Amino acid sequence: MIVKRAGRHVVLTAVPAAVFLTLGLSGPALAEGGKAYQIDLAQLNKSGSRGTVLLNLKGNQLTVQIESEGMVPGQPSAQHLHGSTKGHDFKCPDATDDTDRDGVLSNTEATHDYGDINISLTTTGDTNPASGLAVERMPKADKQGKLSYKRTLTVGQDVVEHIKDLHVVQHGIDRNKNSKYDFEGAGKSELDPKLPQEATAPTNCGEVKGAAVGSLPVGAIETGGGSSQTAQEASMPVTVRDGVAISVLAVAAGAVALTRKRASAVPVPVRARRERTGGGA
């Protein structure tokens, strides 16, 4: 087996077909020719929010699934794919981006790192950047602060080619812990003075890793405090053949196991066995 590394992706060649292992998906099986990418959402603004995103791309059809928790109960969450499809390098922000030191990382401050809106992840209607604050068409968290979202979108070829350069960001914080967005928590939004800052400040962010993924359990992979995956695992893509998602990591593990099994099956010469047990020639 030969392992070739190209950027953040790992490509394995000359792997026996018998060692391929598969991962099932929580939703419909990936269609032939599709690719899946996982995003782990880590908290911003000390929100306590975290989540998991699955991007399923087939042709120019992009299905976005999000499961997150720690959101503001009963409140809508503006959410978007941020970043560039023109080769610019963006990333998720951190507390150091709070340049005015007011204790709240605003969307304007964070945009320096994660870029402008590329797609608005609305529940209905258009998904243009202009719908970024269309809170009436954004998903709402339940009474426990959990949010579920799924929608299939038609995207441009630029998104198809640069999907790994985009990030998912959800917005909405509760700074004064009263389970709602209000002006007392952090004042007015710099994006729209009619909205509270709490409604537009980012609550979490995650970068597309190209990781193999089989389901969407919240917290299945550690977020915010270090991942249980190794860096190599986190960069491994999923490919799809005959409607089945193939995990490159599983392929590698299967190849190693097969090699060990073959090595253990090699017979030991009779003379060597006798020498080990103290027997005569």
Side-chain angles (χ1 to χ4, degrees), residues 197-219:
Q197 180 75 280
E198 288 186 333
T200 61
T203 187
N204 60 44
C205 178
E207 301 175 17
V208 174
K209 299 296 185 182
V213 60
S215 60
L216 286 171
V218 170

Side-chain angles (χ1 to χ4, degrees), residues 4-23:
K4 298 180 179 180
R5 287 180 172 82
R8 292 187 298 172
H9 285 69
V10 177
V11 181
L12 282 78
T13 59
V15 179
V19 304
F20 280 109
L21 302 179
T22 61
L23 296 172

Side-chain angles (χ1 to χ4, degrees), residues 175-232:
R175 193 183 187 195
N176 53 351
K177 307 300 180 185
N178 62 355
S179 297
K180 64 180 180 180
Y181 302 144
D182 60 25
F183 293 96
E184 296 178 4
K188 298 178 181 179
S189 171
E190 82 283 10
L191 301 179
D192 184 347
K194 296 179 181 179
L195 295 175
Q197 180 75 280
E198 288 186 333
T200 61
T203 187
N204 60 44
C205 178
E207 301 175 17
V208 174
K209 299 296 185 182
V213 60
S215 60
L216 286 171
V218 170
I221 296 176
E222 294 291 336
T223 59
S227 172
S228 60
Q229 290 182 307
T230 64
Q232 182 175 352

Side-chain angles (χ1 to χ4, degrees), residues 208-276:
V208 174
K209 299 296 185 182
V213 60
S215 60
L216 286 171
V218 170
I221 296 176
E222 294 291 336
T223 59
S227 172
S228 60
Q229 290 182 307
T230 64
Q232 182 175 352
E233 290 174 25
S235 65
M236 291 189 176
V238 165
T239 57
V240 178
R241 297 180 182 176
D242 300 325
V244 179
I246 301 172
S247 167
V248 175
L249 178 61
V251 171
V256 172
L258 183 62
T259 302
R260 290 176 177 172
K261 183 176 180 181
R262 288 177 175 174
S264 63
V266 176
V268 180
V270 175
R271 182 174 180 179
R273 289 201 301 269
R274 290 177 177 174
E275 289 177 351
R276 292 177 183 174

